[in-house]
Amino acid sequence: MGPLKPVWLVARREVIARLRTKAYRLSTLALVALAVGGVAAVRVLPSFFEDEPPRIGLAPTAAVIRESLQQAATAFGEEIVLSEFTSVQAAQAALAAGDLDAVLVSPDSLLFQEEADPTVQALVGQAAYLATLPERAAAVGITLEEARALIAPPTVETSLVSPPEAGDEAVDDGDRAIAALTTILLLMALTFYGQWVLIGVIEEKSTRVVEVLLATLAPWQLLVGKVLGILLLAVAQIAASVTALVVGLLVVQDIEIPALAATSVAMGVTWLVLGLLLYNFLYAAIGSTVNRPDEASSASFPLMVPLMAGYLGGLIFIPDHPDAPASRVLSLFPFTAPLTMPSRIASGGGSAIEVAIAMALTVVTIGLVIWAGSRIYTGAILRTGKVGLLAAFRGGREVG
Amino acid sequence: MLELDGLRRQFGEVRALDGCTFRVEPGRMVGFLGPNGSGKTTAMRSIFGLLRLDSGEVRWQGAPVTAEVTRRFGYMPESRGLYPKMKVRDQVEYFASLHGANRADARAQADHWLQRLGLEDRVDSTVETLSHGNQQRVQLAVSLAFRSDLLVLDEPFSGLDPIAVATMGEVIRDEAARGAAVLFSSHQLDLVEDLCDDVVIIDHGRVVLAGRLDEVRAASPFRYVEVSGPAALGSWATRVAGAEVMRRRNTTLRVRVPATTDPAVVLETVRAEGGVEGFRFEPPTLSDLFMEAVR
């Protein structure tokens, strides 16, 4: 039996044992539901928030300003729906029935049901103004062109006191949302699966099954097997969720996917795997130093510091400043990179070289963490009582 | 053959192992005895490399024990350990496969041992639902499930009822008969005396007595005289050279005498005292040896 066979056996046991638990099934179901629900929400929600364009009925005498009204709406960037009626009565009846929001009785007479819409008022005013311009120009004896020149607003030069610095390019709202969402999901995944590793290691220690295991296995085999098993489970859950998301999007079809989304998902998954490897070995090392499950959260508190720094950076700062110096530092520092680099990429920052450097640094750090984590784990797992990380590290040559 | 050679290990002020040396031969049952805190568990853990030794070496077939070798050892630690939520059969199978059994073999071994230990009805129960005694049987099955060359069992009988003790004792004896070397610790000295071929007694981290049980008994510098009846209560013991009263209970007296003492002379002295209902002159029991060794 080669040294990797036991690693695989440990990982397999971890996978089988957890696949059977209600917690795993429910969390998988929840992730799939979240993906499907997300698609549904994007599809349905906007219609609740977007105002329907105002519907204006034109009585016969008002039809003359139809074109001007359309021009005014275009000029102000407003959308309106116009319909012509053969009589004022017919238009009023449609207003009363709620099929119209306003009736233009004549170019200078506007009718609403209960409440006046200031947008419609302004548009009609502007339209009437435009429609009567030739008439009024003729009255004062100037040409239409002269009248237009007269009323054209002077050009106002606009400048900024503090123009945005390089790296603060405006970020598209869709990309910003993806950046934030990726960061949130990454933090959830890292802490969620980290807890599995933490609790799993503490359980093995507190039930003393670890002594039976270590009589056969080297500590690193047990450690790596456990982390890999949970990584496999995590990837399976994420894959189920992403599949549900893609299928949902294909079914719905008409959702506009931001251009960077595909890259974001690929990057997000890559960084998720790197982040899980990095943090799960740390969680395992910390788990080996405590004895009871209730000590887990206080023992793992130190890990929350880089996690929260990466999370807040990736969620709040980076989407607006993807290439600012602080963003660069956060996305290159191995312990925050998994949470911040995907956010930078989604926000349109981070060159390919920076991504490559961040990945290389993280991979090297994972190697170091496996080494140090194994040593802490080895030094602590068979000791009872609270063991300091440093003492565990020093004692790490005790076993195997 | 397993050899523990000059093992030393200090925990702070405590010398847990202080030159501990003994051997366990294939096909032999070795009873490993010693007072609480004498170093039994530390010695057993050191066989599996579960702690670093300050000095000394554990050897199997003449070569230092490596991870590859311990895979063929079965271990039942003092602090029992099983996955509480894992099913009994899965558990035994898992440990068998960690020790190198392929899937079919692991399954077959698990079924065999669980049946042998009377757990065939509980194979699909999770361990946490089992009684203490049944959990202990599963623990033994785990240590047996891969035809070990060496079995190291730390207090395998503690907390078991007499029937479970008999079953387990029989199973372990069969393993020794198959050729496995068996090292087990216990405080139940009568039980050890019935089961073991060899005995190792350890105190303060060093071996104070080791060898074949019959040989160490014969080699003892003492013999034990047990007398019952009215004569037992007399003062005859004071008239036997080197005699020391060990125990007095009702009308029975147990006296330790030098091994050179002539039993016929002792019997004469006792009979001069009065009526004799029972008279025994014997080498020390394991219990006597233990008391001699660690006092």
Side-chain angles (χ1 to χ4, degrees):
Chain A
M1 189 153 75
L4 292 180
K5 181 79 189 296
V7 173
W8 164 240
L9 289 169
V10 171
R12 199 183 64 172
R13 194 208 76 84
E14 199 68 36
V15 169
I16 293 173
R18 283 183 191 272
L19 275 181
R20 286 186 182 154
T21 61
K22 215 177 268 177
Y24 186 78
R25 291 177 190 173
L26 286 180
S27 58
T28 308
L29 213 62
L31 280 174
V32 170
L34 202 69
V36 173
V39 172
V42 171
R43 177 79 185 83
V44 174
L45 280 182
S47 61
F48 288 113
F49 297 112
E50 272 174 29
D51 289 332
E52 294 282 325
R55 297 154 301 174
I56 304 168
L58 303 175
T61 49
V64 290
I65 68 157
R66 179 180 184 136
E67 207 173 314
S68 307
L69 194 52
Q70 202 68 68
Q71 280 171 3
T74 313
F76 283 103
E78 292 289 340
E79 234 179 291
I80 51 172
V81 178
L82 296 177
S83 48
E84 288 181 33
F85 287 80
T86 50
S87 69
V88 175
Q89 286 77 14
Q92 281 179 333
L95 179 66
D99 294 333
L100 291 177
D101 297 307
V103 170
L104 194 57
V105 182
S106 66
D108 52 3
S109 167
L110 191 55
L111 190 64
F112 292 101
Q113 184 68 28
E114 283 175 350
E115 202 181 339
D117 181 339
T119 310
V120 175
Q121 284 177 311
L123 289 177
V124 170
Q126 182 67 16
Y129 181 68
L130 288 173
T132 55
L133 191 59
E135 212 176 294
R136 285 183 284 133
V140 296
I142 55 171
T143 65
L144 186 56
E145 279 67 38
E146 283 169 335
R148 285 205 176 122
L150 205 59
I151 62 168
T155 313
V156 177
E157 198 184 321
T158 308
S159 51
L160 301 173
V161 176
S162 353
E165 290 163 33
D168 283 355
E169 299 86 0
V171 179
D172 178 57
D173 274 349
D175 294 341
R176 191 195 307 268
I178 295 240
L181 192 69
T182 312
T183 311
I184 292 170
L185 290 177
L186 280 166
L187 180 81
M188 281 171 59
L190 292 185
T191 48
F192 183 68
Y193 299 115
Q195 287 297 313
W196 282 11
V197 173
L198 184 69
I199 299 293
V201 168
I202 295 173
E203 264 172 11
E204 274 173 0
K205 187 177 181 181
S206 62
T207 57
R208 309 298 304 163
V209 71
V210 71
E211 186 166 348
V212 189
L213 291 165
L214 291 184
T216 328
L217 297 170
W220 72 266
Q221 291 173 319
L222 184 55
L223 177 68
V224 173
K226 186 163 215 66
V227 170
L228 282 186
I230 288 177
L231 183 69
L232 285 177
L233 289 162
V235 168
Q237 279 195 328
I238 304 288
S241 177
V242 169
T243 307
L245 188 71
V246 169
V247 169
L249 288 173
L250 288 177
V251 169
V252 173
Q253 273 182 347
D254 61 346
I255 291 178
E256 219 178 293
I257 305 168
L260 284 165
T263 335
S264 294
V265 170
M267 273 292 138
V269 171
T270 309
W271 280 106
L272 172 70
V273 171
L274 291 175
L276 283 176
L277 283 171
L278 183 65
Y279 275 97
N280 284 355
F281 279 106
L282 290 172
Y283 272 113
I286 284 183
S288 69
T289 64
V290 293
N291 293 305
R292 297 196 319 270
D294 54 295
E295 294 167 4
S297 58
S298 65
S300 64
F301 179 75
L303 292 185
M304 288 314 287
V305 176
L307 280 173
M308 287 319 289
Y311 173 68
L312 294 176
L315 184 70
I316 297 167
F317 183 72
I318 289 175
D320 290 323
H321 315 275
D323 282 326
S327 303
R328 281 174 205 272
V329 170
L330 279 174
S331 66
L332 288 173
F333 182 60
F335 293 98
T336 49
L339 284 162
T340 49
M341 192 49 107
S343 173
R344 269 189 83 191
I345 297 165
S347 311
S351 64
I353 289 179
E354 278 182 313
V355 175
I357 292 174
M359 278 192 182
L361 285 177
T362 306
V363 168
V364 170
T365 309
I366 289 169
L368 288 174
V369 161
I370 294 177
W371 172 75
S374 295
R375 202 166 141 168
I376 291 171
Y377 182 85
T378 306
I381 195 71
L382 285 173
R383 289 212 219 166
T384 47
K386 176 94 173 85
V387 189
L389 284 177
L390 213 61
F393 184 79
R394 286 205 202 95
R397 280 163 304 174
E398 286 277 302
V399 184
Chain B
M1 180 170 66
L2 177 80
E3 291 168 278
L4 282 75
D5 187 4
L7 307 189
R8 280 176 209 282
R9 177 64 210 256
Q10 189 122 2
F11 292 112
E13 296 291 295
V14 183
R15 237 179 245 173
L17 292 176
D18 187 15
C20 177
T21 301
F22 67 93
R23 53 174 61 174
V24 184
E25 284 169 45
R28 307 282 294 179
M29 294 269 288
V30 178
F32 192 26
L33 313 175
N36 292 327
S38 57
K40 297 190 295 293
T41 296
T42 307
M44 285 177 150
R45 287 177 127 193
S46 72
I47 296 170
F48 293 89
L50 291 171
L51 53 91
R52 183 174 51 81
L53 292 165
D54 295 334
S55 65
E57 191 175 54
V58 180
R59 285 187 297 270
W60 176 252
Q61 317 292 40
V65 168
T66 61
E68 202 49 50
V69 172
T70 54
R71 196 161 292 141
R72 298 207 310 277
F73 294 174
Y75 182 37
M76 183 168 177
E78 183 198 31
S79 45
R80 314 291 185 230
L82 295 166
Y83 286 106
K85 292 186 194 313
M86 204 171 171
K87 287 178 184 172
V88 168
R89 184 202 272 132
D90 293 348
Q91 191 120 220
V92 181
E93 258 185 83
Y94 175 56
F95 281 101
S97 60
L98 283 183
H99 283 263
N102 65 36
R103 209 179 283 199
D105 192 26
R107 183 60 175 266
Q109 287 292 318
D111 283 340
H112 169 76
W113 288 113
L114 291 172
Q115 183 170 11
R116 181 77 204 277
L117 291 163
L119 288 167
E120 63 269 30
D121 298 336
R122 306 304 302 269
V123 290
D124 286 322
S125 308
T126 58
V127 166
E128 62 188 353
T129 62
L130 300 184
S131 67
H132 170 82
N134 279 342
Q135 290 192 12
Q136 197 138 323
R137 289 173 205 232
V138 178
Q139 192 86 54
L140 182 67
V142 159
S143 63
L144 289 169
F146 33 88
R147 290 178 291 260
S148 318
D149 297 338
L150 170 71
L151 274 176
V152 176
L153 311 171
D154 203 347
E155 299 278 349
F157 304 108
S158 74
L160 291 182
D161 68 47
I163 298 165
V165 166
T167 317
M168 267 205 183
E170 197 181 303
V171 167
I172 297 168
R173 272 228 73 99
D174 287 353
E175 281 299 282
R178 178 178 62 77
V182 180
L183 177 69
F184 72 101
S185 68
S186 179
H187 290 300
Q188 289 148 279
L189 299 177
D190 309 349
L191 188 64
V192 177
E193 186 156 24
D194 284 348
L195 277 174
C196 72
D197 305 307
D198 302 338
V199 62
V200 173
I201 299 177
I202 182 176
D203 195 23
H204 299 297
R206 57 168 70 235
V207 172
V208 290
L209 186 76
R212 287 168 179 261
L213 182 56
D214 47 5
E215 286 177 9
V216 293
R217 288 179 69 189
S220 168
F222 303 109
R223 291 294 177 269
Y224 287 78
V225 179
E226 202 166 294
V227 177
S228 52
L233 302 172
S235 57
W236 61 269
T238 57
R239 288 189 290 280
V240 179
E244 193 182 335
V245 173
M246 303 306 289
R247 194 172 69 217
R248 191 191 295 273
R249 190 175 296 159
N250 298 328
T251 57
T252 303
L253 192 70
R254 190 169 173 84
V255 175
R256 189 176 78 181
V257 298
T260 49
T261 311
D262 183 349
V265 173
V266 178
L267 180 59
E268 277 311 306
T269 316
V270 176
R271 286 179 71 171
E273 202 71 49
V276 176
E277 286 163 10
F279 179 84
R280 275 190 6 225
F281 186 95
E282 57 184 8
T285 61
L286 188 55
S287 193
D288 297 326
L289 284 173
F290 183 83
M291 299 308 282
E292 283 173 19
V294 305
R295 212 146 26 162

